[in-house]
Amino acid sequence: MHGNSERSAPELLAPAGDRQCVSAAVENGADAVYFGLESGFNARARATNLHVEDLPEVMEFLHARGVKGYATLNTLAFPSELPAMEAAVVALTEAGIDAVLVQDLGVVELIRAVSPDVPIHASTQMTLTSAECIAAVEPLGISRVVLPRELSIREIGKIARQTNLELEAFVHGALCVAYSGQCLTSESLGGRSANRGQCAQACRLPYDLICDGRDVDLDQVKYLLSPQDLAAYQLVPELIEAGVCCLKIEGRLKTPEYVANITRHYRRAIDAAVEGRRAAFSPQDVTEMELSFSRGFSPGWLQGCDHKMLVPGLSSAKRGVRLGAVVAVRGQRVRVRLSGEVAAGDGVVFAGDREQGREQGGRVYEVLQKGQDVELTFGREAIDVGQLEPGQEIWKTDDPRLTSRLRKTFAGGKPLRRVPVDFEVYAAVGEPLRVRGSAANGAHAAVESTQPLDVAVRHPVTAEVLEQQLGRLGATVYQLRRLTAEIHGQPMVPLSVLGGLRRRLIEQLVTASQVRPPRRIRPDAWQRLRDAAREQGPPATGDAAPRLRVLCRSLAQLGEVLACGVRQVMVDFQDLREYRAAVERTREAAGEIFLATPRIQKPDEFGLFRLLEKQGADGILVRNLAGVRFCRERQIPFVGDFSLNAANELTVDFLRRQGAARVTVSYDLNREQLLELLAAVPGPGIEVVIHQHMPMFHMEHCVFCSVLSPGTDKTNCGRPCDLHEVKMRDRVGMEHPLTADVGCRNTLFNAVPQSAAEAVPAMLAAGVRDFRLELLADQGDGLREMLGLYRGLLAGRVTGKQVWQRLNASNRVGVTRGTLEARRNPLAIL
């Protein structure tokens, strides 16, 4: 890998949740926009999105303005959806899409099979956190990687030096607390998969912290998993220097005014950085950005981890900018001491406990100056002033004048941002007048007059006249940037001739800008891929006995499991130094042991794979793509885990071709979808987790450090995760266990274990022979009962219903059927 050596102006990529947002992005300086399709397969299902039939017109609009259009197909695809996914890819290809953003590895292979010419960008949902991860998917034909938000600029620079692929980084917008593509919270709690664009935003809810069995008094800090928004407008020069080729704004669920506002500010930041200077952002500039949307601005992880700064925990809602505090309430008037500007018509909110309904908001009706304070009045019954009290903060959430100003940038009908065009003119007596045009959007045109030019009697043409007449482009999207003229003799050029040539030039430029790139489309790509995957599957195992593997979280737990007679185990320890002892104990019991990798591998962490290799285990449970590549190159037996997101037969086939002995199916599959997958791929080589506490949030953010330590990151936190047992209590009283891994990344597990016992007979019938139980804090009699029930289930001595009922009765918080129940209520989380 040779690295990126050239530095140039990065692309500014803006979000477009609907057609108006497309215009807002274009008029305010975006080089490209990204959008989803109304038909689905995008990670913002709640956005309006674009209709497939509108794609040709949208792409023509964008290309006429010199702007690229990227479509998001960045969700997991289930087996029954692959034909529809193929149809979407064909429609996008025919419309001239400039690139497709993809999460699912199987979908990448499908797109490449449909058309080898369509550029593919790896979505941040693919969780490519290192150069080694990127190298694992580069052979699939990916041209750009959207980096996870959890990377620092220093880490991005290291990746850029080790890959030739383009790197895209988020610079503004909402931050997910969990790694994109690895969050299972919405799926676990309510059947709404974030990997399917249906995130329920459980990270924005309040939680209580329980440490060693006691509630921790955190005062007003309740939103323990709600990060502030990313705002990297001051870090643009550093990102360019690090090797980022595209700066991305988040916000396909935001308004057109938000898109206009944020895009224009980052346009200015990029232009300044390219000129070798840092753009100055006044307090008013920042205030205007905050008013469009803000949960509070931060640099996110770009400057490294600062867990206290990232998640203050005081609020999770958009509040805009702080306006001041209540001094007194007199009748229906609220006296406020201001720290910002306010005017009649502004939207405001009085801070309060949202969960108890004490947060109020409305529009200001009147502003009366009272010395250093102001008195605000509101519309009738808009605010219950009796609930307000001195000291209560007031925030400005909306400024109608700013909204109106932003709207004028894209809603006026007349293009404000124009495409520069250069003209070359050749004028000679006795020859036709020739004009060539070259536009910044890549379009070219050439015209000439029908008659040769005569000698001028009084007014020969000049370069100034040519520039004046040919530059009259006001009704078009073009703007004359430069005109060069070669004039011989003293030719006369009638103004009517110049006007006619100008119109023909523009017609040609418009036509040229709308020419779609030649793209090959191969028929029946999905059918061919499916047939190939079936042919390459592992041989059937016939009536082989089912195998039960148990994943343990500690040496003590491993000892109990081995004592119960289990001989096929996996281990996932916080301290990887204990893996050696785990291997030795398993060897003494004549067992087989696989060691789990962390779910995330960042720059400087590749050595962890070598550490695992040295332990002498039977194989590795691989949870990231860098681990897949490591095991393939060293021919180490491995099992691909759930975090690789195998949700369809194409992804399963890809992982098998990389050398996976077995592939663990994605936790996003429900019962019917799992059986669909098993019908499409041979059961042998598939592993299914049939009992577990779902790992909901997996995050770079460390709650231990944030609230149980005076430190800010893993270098100064004192590692409270080694000393305390921590749980987080949600709004319904469930206490979810929190753990930290070797990289100090936190996982919040669902308090309620999930059992797929009732689905086991159907899986056995489909040919599955490899099943797994994943323990958490299980021990003693409860652990022994669980192992006995599942072993009896696989041996046919008890039914799935009996297993479920007995586990449910003996567990304090019960047991759920979870993602593998037959019917789910997708609104349960609400």
PDB file of all heavy atoms in Angstrom, residues 69-95:
ATOM      1  N   GLY A  69     -24.171  13.024  -7.798  1.00  0.00           N
ATOM      2  CA  GLY A  69     -25.251  12.459  -7.006  1.00  0.00           C
ATOM      3  C   GLY A  69     -24.935  11.038  -6.596  1.00  0.00           C
ATOM      4  O   GLY A  69     -24.620  10.196  -7.445  1.00  0.00           O
ATOM      5  N   TYR A  70     -25.009  10.774  -5.282  1.00  0.00           N
ATOM      6  CA  TYR A  70     -24.729   9.439  -4.746  1.00  0.00           C
ATOM      7  C   TYR A  70     -26.002   8.892  -4.106  1.00  0.00           C
ATOM      8  O   TYR A  70     -26.694   9.598  -3.365  1.00  0.00           O
ATOM      9  CB  TYR A  70     -23.626   9.485  -3.692  1.00  0.00           C
ATOM     10  CG  TYR A  70     -22.326  10.099  -4.151  1.00  0.00           C
ATOM     11  CD1 TYR A  70     -21.537  10.844  -3.267  1.00  0.00           C
ATOM     12  CD2 TYR A  70     -21.865   9.946  -5.462  1.00  0.00           C
ATOM     13  CE1 TYR A  70     -20.338  11.402  -3.666  1.00  0.00           C
ATOM     14  CE2 TYR A  70     -20.671  10.512  -5.875  1.00  0.00           C
ATOM     15  CZ  TYR A  70     -19.912  11.247  -4.980  1.00  0.00           C
ATOM     16  OH  TYR A  70     -18.725  11.804  -5.389  1.00  0.00           O
ATOM     17  N   ALA A  71     -26.288   7.639  -4.356  1.00  0.00           N
ATOM     18  CA  ALA A  71     -27.474   6.997  -3.776  1.00  0.00           C
ATOM     19  C   ALA A  71     -27.051   6.055  -2.658  1.00  0.00           C
ATOM     20  O   ALA A  71     -26.024   5.378  -2.751  1.00  0.00           O
ATOM     21  CB  ALA A  71     -28.239   6.221  -4.841  1.00  0.00           C
ATOM     22  N   THR A  72     -27.855   6.019  -1.609  1.00  0.00           N
ATOM     23  CA  THR A  72     -27.560   5.157  -0.468  1.00  0.00           C
ATOM     24  C   THR A  72     -28.361   3.865  -0.567  1.00  0.00           C
ATOM     25  O   THR A  72     -29.587   3.873  -0.572  1.00  0.00           O
ATOM     26  CB  THR A  72     -27.903   5.862   0.850  1.00  0.00           C
ATOM     27  OG1 THR A  72     -29.290   6.240   0.834  1.00  0.00           O
ATOM     28  CG2 THR A  72     -27.064   7.111   1.030  1.00  0.00           C
ATOM     29  N   LEU A  73     -27.653   2.761  -0.664  1.00  0.00           N
ATOM     30  CA  LEU A  73     -28.230   1.425  -0.497  1.00  0.00           C
ATOM     31  C   LEU A  73     -27.521   0.809   0.714  1.00  0.00           C
ATOM     32  O   LEU A  73     -26.987  -0.298   0.655  1.00  0.00           O
ATOM     33  CB  LEU A  73     -28.018   0.577  -1.755  1.00  0.00           C
ATOM     34  CG  LEU A  73     -28.697   1.067  -3.038  1.00  0.00           C
ATOM     35  CD1 LEU A  73     -28.373   0.156  -4.213  1.00  0.00           C
ATOM     36  CD2 LEU A  73     -30.216   1.158  -2.856  1.00  0.00           C
ATOM     37  N   ASN A  74     -27.523   1.551   1.807  1.00  0.00           N
ATOM     38  CA  ASN A  74     -26.642   1.255   2.932  1.00  0.00           C
ATOM     39  C   ASN A  74     -27.355   0.580   4.096  1.00  0.00           C
ATOM     40  O   ASN A  74     -27.234   0.986   5.252  1.00  0.00           O
ATOM     41  CB  ASN A  74     -25.929   2.527   3.407  1.00  0.00           C
ATOM     42  CG  ASN A  74     -26.887   3.644   3.766  1.00  0.00           C
ATOM     43  OD1 ASN A  74     -28.048   3.629   3.383  1.00  0.00           O
ATOM     44  ND2 ASN A  74     -26.403   4.624   4.518  1.00  0.00           N
ATOM     45  N   THR A  75     -28.133  -0.451   3.785  1.00  0.00           N
ATOM     46  CA  THR A  75     -28.708  -1.303   4.819  1.00  0.00           C
ATOM     47  C   THR A  75     -28.385  -2.752   4.492  1.00  0.00           C
ATOM     48  O   THR A  75     -27.919  -3.066   3.389  1.00  0.00           O
ATOM     49  CB  THR A  75     -30.240  -1.156   4.899  1.00  0.00           C
ATOM     50  OG1 THR A  75     -30.809  -1.579   3.651  1.00  0.00           O
ATOM     51  CG2 THR A  75     -30.646   0.274   5.177  1.00  0.00           C
ATOM     52  N   LEU A  76     -28.651  -3.620   5.446  1.00  0.00           N
ATOM     53  CA  LEU A  76     -28.539  -5.046   5.174  1.00  0.00           C
ATOM     54  C   LEU A  76     -29.729  -5.480   4.320  1.00  0.00           C
ATOM     55  O   LEU A  76     -30.832  -4.943   4.449  1.00  0.00           O
ATOM     56  CB  LEU A  76     -28.531  -5.840   6.478  1.00  0.00           C
ATOM     57  CG  LEU A  76     -27.409  -5.518   7.468  1.00  0.00           C
ATOM     58  CD1 LEU A  76     -27.485  -6.470   8.665  1.00  0.00           C
ATOM     59  CD2 LEU A  76     -26.049  -5.597   6.809  1.00  0.00           C
ATOM     60  N   ALA A  77     -29.484  -6.443   3.457  1.00  0.00           N
ATOM     61  CA  ALA A  77     -30.543  -6.968   2.591  1.00  0.00           C
ATOM     62  C   ALA A  77     -30.820  -8.417   2.968  1.00  0.00           C
ATOM     63  O   ALA A  77     -29.891  -9.214   3.109  1.00  0.00           O
ATOM     64  CB  ALA A  77     -30.134  -6.874   1.123  1.00  0.00           C
ATOM     65  N   PHE A  78     -32.093  -8.740   3.135  1.00  0.00           N
ATOM     66  CA  PHE A  78     -32.479 -10.105   3.451  1.00  0.00           C
ATOM     67  C   PHE A  78     -32.657 -10.905   2.160  1.00  0.00           C
ATOM     68  O   PHE A  78     -32.834 -10.319   1.077  1.00  0.00           O
ATOM     69  CB  PHE A  78     -33.758 -10.111   4.279  1.00  0.00           C
ATOM     70  CG  PHE A  78     -33.621  -9.399   5.599  1.00  0.00           C
ATOM     71  CD1 PHE A  78     -34.647  -8.615   6.104  1.00  0.00           C
ATOM     72  CD2 PHE A  78     -32.455  -9.504   6.336  1.00  0.00           C
ATOM     73  CE1 PHE A  78     -34.523  -7.965   7.320  1.00  0.00           C
ATOM     74  CE2 PHE A  78     -32.309  -8.849   7.558  1.00  0.00           C
ATOM     75  CZ  PHE A  78     -33.345  -8.085   8.045  1.00  0.00           C
ATOM     76  N   PRO A  79     -32.634 -12.225   2.231  1.00  0.00           N
ATOM     77  CA  PRO A  79     -32.655 -13.042   1.003  1.00  0.00           C
ATOM     78  C   PRO A  79     -33.790 -12.704   0.045  1.00  0.00           C
ATOM     79  O   PRO A  79     -33.573 -12.582  -1.164  1.00  0.00           O
ATOM     80  CB  PRO A  79     -32.784 -14.471   1.551  1.00  0.00           C
ATOM     81  CG  PRO A  79     -32.104 -14.418   2.870  1.00  0.00           C
ATOM     82  CD  PRO A  79     -32.440 -13.067   3.437  1.00  0.00           C
ATOM     83  N   SER A  80     -35.006 -12.519   0.564  1.00  0.00           N
ATOM     84  CA  SER A  80     -36.143 -12.273  -0.329  1.00  0.00           C
ATOM     85  C   SER A  80     -36.079 -10.898  -0.987  1.00  0.00           C
ATOM     86  O   SER A  80     -36.824 -10.627  -1.944  1.00  0.00           O
ATOM     87  CB  SER A  80     -37.453 -12.403   0.453  1.00  0.00           C
ATOM     88  OG  SER A  80     -37.511 -11.427   1.488  1.00  0.00           O
ATOM     89  N   GLU A  81     -35.201 -10.020  -0.501  1.00  0.00           N
ATOM     90  CA  GLU A  81     -35.129  -8.658  -1.023  1.00  0.00           C
ATOM     91  C   GLU A  81     -34.093  -8.491  -2.129  1.00  0.00           C
ATOM     92  O   GLU A  81     -34.038  -7.432  -2.756  1.00  0.00           O
ATOM     93  CB  GLU A  81     -34.804  -7.685   0.111  1.00  0.00           C
ATOM     94  CG  GLU A  81     -35.863  -7.644   1.194  1.00  0.00           C
ATOM     95  CD  GLU A  81     -35.426  -6.826   2.401  1.00  0.00           C
ATOM     96  OE1 GLU A  81     -34.209  -6.762   2.659  1.00  0.00           O
ATOM     97  OE2 GLU A  81     -36.306  -6.260   3.080  1.00  0.00           O
ATOM     98  N   LEU A  82     -33.266  -9.474  -2.350  1.00  0.00           N
ATOM     99  CA  LEU A  82     -32.181  -9.309  -3.316  1.00  0.00           C
ATOM    100  C   LEU A  82     -32.672  -9.037  -4.737  1.00  0.00           C
ATOM    101  O   LEU A  82     -32.060  -8.230  -5.447  1.00  0.00           O
ATOM    102  CB  LEU A  82     -31.255 -10.525  -3.274  1.00  0.00           C
ATOM    103  CG  LEU A  82     -30.435 -10.632  -1.976  1.00  0.00           C
ATOM    104  CD1 LEU A  82     -29.661 -11.936  -1.933  1.00  0.00           C
ATOM    105  CD2 LEU A  82     -29.486  -9.446  -1.829  1.00  0.00           C
ATOM    106  N   PRO A  83     -33.763  -9.669  -5.211  1.00  0.00           N
ATOM    107  CA  PRO A  83     -34.266  -9.280  -6.546  1.00  0.00           C
ATOM    108  C   PRO A  83     -34.667  -7.807  -6.626  1.00  0.00           C
ATOM    109  O   PRO A  83     -34.394  -7.136  -7.624  1.00  0.00           O
ATOM    110  CB  PRO A  83     -35.463 -10.210  -6.752  1.00  0.00           C
ATOM    111  CG  PRO A  83     -35.161 -11.405  -5.903  1.00  0.00           C
ATOM    112  CD  PRO A  83     -34.473 -10.856  -4.684  1.00  0.00           C
ATOM    113  N   ALA A  84     -35.319  -7.287  -5.564  1.00  0.00           N
ATOM    114  CA  ALA A  84     -35.686  -5.869  -5.559  1.00  0.00           C
ATOM    115  C   ALA A  84     -34.448  -4.993  -5.486  1.00  0.00           C
ATOM    116  O   ALA A  84     -34.398  -3.914  -6.093  1.00  0.00           O
ATOM    117  CB  ALA A  84     -36.621  -5.576  -4.386  1.00  0.00           C
ATOM    118  N   MET A  85     -33.435  -5.437  -4.748  1.00  0.00           N
ATOM    119  CA  MET A  85     -32.177  -4.697  -4.692  1.00  0.00           C
ATOM    120  C   MET A  85     -31.543  -4.645  -6.081  1.00  0.00           C
ATOM    121  O   MET A  85     -31.038  -3.601  -6.503  1.00  0.00           O
ATOM    122  CB  MET A  85     -31.231  -5.355  -3.701  1.00  0.00           C
ATOM    123  CG  MET A  85     -29.883  -4.674  -3.584  1.00  0.00           C
ATOM    124  SD  MET A  85     -29.946  -3.048  -2.783  1.00  0.00           S
ATOM    125  CE  MET A  85     -30.036  -3.513  -1.056  1.00  0.00           C
ATOM    126  N   GLU A  86     -31.581  -5.749  -6.796  1.00  0.00           N
ATOM    127  CA  GLU A  86     -31.036  -5.770  -8.153  1.00  0.00           C
ATOM    128  C   GLU A  86     -31.774  -4.772  -9.046  1.00  0.00           C
ATOM    129  O   GLU A  86     -31.145  -4.032  -9.817  1.00  0.00           O
ATOM    130  CB  GLU A  86     -31.150  -7.172  -8.741  1.00  0.00           C
ATOM    131  CG  GLU A  86     -30.626  -7.282 -10.166  1.00  0.00           C
ATOM    132  CD  GLU A  86     -30.852  -8.653 -10.772  1.00  0.00           C
ATOM    133  OE1 GLU A  86     -31.888  -9.279 -10.445  1.00  0.00           O
ATOM    134  OE2 GLU A  86     -30.013  -9.108 -11.561  1.00  0.00           O
ATOM    135  N   ALA A  87     -33.095  -4.714  -8.937  1.00  0.00           N
ATOM    136  CA  ALA A  87     -33.879  -3.772  -9.741  1.00  0.00           C
ATOM    137  C   ALA A  87     -33.506  -2.333  -9.407  1.00  0.00           C
ATOM    138  O   ALA A  87     -33.423  -1.474 -10.297  1.00  0.00           O
ATOM    139  CB  ALA A  87     -35.369  -4.007  -9.516  1.00  0.00           C
ATOM    140  N   ALA A  88     -33.280  -2.040  -8.117  1.00  0.00           N
ATOM    141  CA  ALA A  88     -32.883  -0.690  -7.718  1.00  0.00           C
ATOM    142  C   ALA A  88     -31.524  -0.331  -8.307  1.00  0.00           C
ATOM    143  O   ALA A  88     -31.308   0.798  -8.770  1.00  0.00           O
ATOM    144  CB  ALA A  88     -32.846  -0.579  -6.191  1.00  0.00           C
ATOM    145  N   VAL A  89     -30.594  -1.273  -8.298  1.00  0.00           N
ATOM    146  CA  VAL A  89     -29.257  -1.022  -8.855  1.00  0.00           C
ATOM    147  C   VAL A  89     -29.351  -0.741 -10.345  1.00  0.00           C
ATOM    148  O   VAL A  89     -28.684   0.169 -10.868  1.00  0.00           O
ATOM    149  CB  VAL A  89     -28.329  -2.223  -8.582  1.00  0.00           C
ATOM    150  CG1 VAL A  89     -26.997  -2.040  -9.305  1.00  0.00           C
ATOM    151  CG2 VAL A  89     -28.102  -2.378  -7.088  1.00  0.00           C
ATOM    152  N   VAL A  90     -30.182  -1.496 -11.052  1.00  0.00           N
ATOM    153  CA  VAL A  90     -30.355  -1.264 -12.495  1.00  0.00           C
ATOM    154  C   VAL A  90     -30.913   0.137 -12.745  1.00  0.00           C
ATOM    155  O   VAL A  90     -30.432   0.869 -13.614  1.00  0.00           O
ATOM    156  CB  VAL A  90     -31.280  -2.338 -13.103  1.00  0.00           C
ATOM    157  CG1 VAL A  90     -31.673  -1.963 -14.539  1.00  0.00           C
ATOM    158  CG2 VAL A  90     -30.599  -3.702 -13.090  1.00  0.00           C
ATOM    159  N   ALA A  91     -31.939   0.528 -11.964  1.00  0.00           N
ATOM    160  CA  ALA A  91     -32.548   1.850 -12.148  1.00  0.00           C
ATOM    161  C   ALA A  91     -31.532   2.960 -11.871  1.00  0.00           C
ATOM    162  O   ALA A  91     -31.477   3.960 -12.610  1.00  0.00           O
ATOM    163  CB  ALA A  91     -33.764   2.001 -11.219  1.00  0.00           C
ATOM    164  N   LEU A  92     -30.737   2.807 -10.837  1.00  0.00           N
ATOM    165  CA  LEU A  92     -29.717   3.809 -10.522  1.00  0.00           C
ATOM    166  C   LEU A  92     -28.664   3.883 -11.625  1.00  0.00           C
ATOM    167  O   LEU A  92     -28.214   4.971 -11.990  1.00  0.00           O
ATOM    168  CB  LEU A  92     -29.055   3.474  -9.184  1.00  0.00           C
ATOM    169  CG  LEU A  92     -29.928   3.678  -7.935  1.00  0.00           C
ATOM    170  CD1 LEU A  92     -29.301   3.007  -6.733  1.00  0.00           C
ATOM    171  CD2 LEU A  92     -30.142   5.163  -7.675  1.00  0.00           C
ATOM    172  N   THR A  93     -28.273   2.751 -12.121  1.00  0.00           N
ATOM    173  CA  THR A  93     -27.256   2.716 -13.184  1.00  0.00           C
ATOM    174  C   THR A  93     -27.775   3.411 -14.436  1.00  0.00           C
ATOM    175  O   THR A  93     -27.066   4.210 -15.060  1.00  0.00           O
ATOM    176  CB  THR A  93     -26.874   1.260 -13.498  1.00  0.00           C
ATOM    177  OG1 THR A  93     -26.434   0.615 -12.303  1.00  0.00           O
ATOM    178  CG2 THR A  93     -25.756   1.194 -14.531  1.00  0.00           C
ATOM    179  N   GLU A  94     -29.004   3.118 -14.799  1.00  0.00           N
ATOM    180  CA  GLU A  94     -29.587   3.724 -15.993  1.00  0.00           C
ATOM    181  C   GLU A  94     -29.780   5.228 -15.834  1.00  0.00           C
ATOM    182  O   GLU A  94     -29.731   5.975 -16.821  1.00  0.00           O
ATOM    183  CB  GLU A  94     -30.923   3.046 -16.307  1.00  0.00           C
ATOM    184  CG  GLU A  94     -30.777   1.598 -16.775  1.00  0.00           C
ATOM    185  CD  GLU A  94     -32.105   0.916 -17.002  1.00  0.00           C
ATOM    186  OE1 GLU A  94     -33.132   1.395 -16.457  1.00  0.00           O
ATOM    187  OE2 GLU A  94     -32.129  -0.108 -17.715  1.00  0.00           O
ATOM    188  N   ALA A  95     -29.994   5.683 -14.599  1.00  0.00           N
ATOM    189  CA  ALA A  95     -30.204   7.118 -14.346  1.00  0.00           C
ATOM    190  C   ALA A  95     -28.902   7.900 -14.330  1.00  0.00           C
ATOM    191  O   ALA A  95     -28.917   9.127 -14.268  1.00  0.00           O
ATOM    192  CB  ALA A  95     -30.951   7.315 -13.030  1.00  0.00           C
TER     193      ALA A  95
END
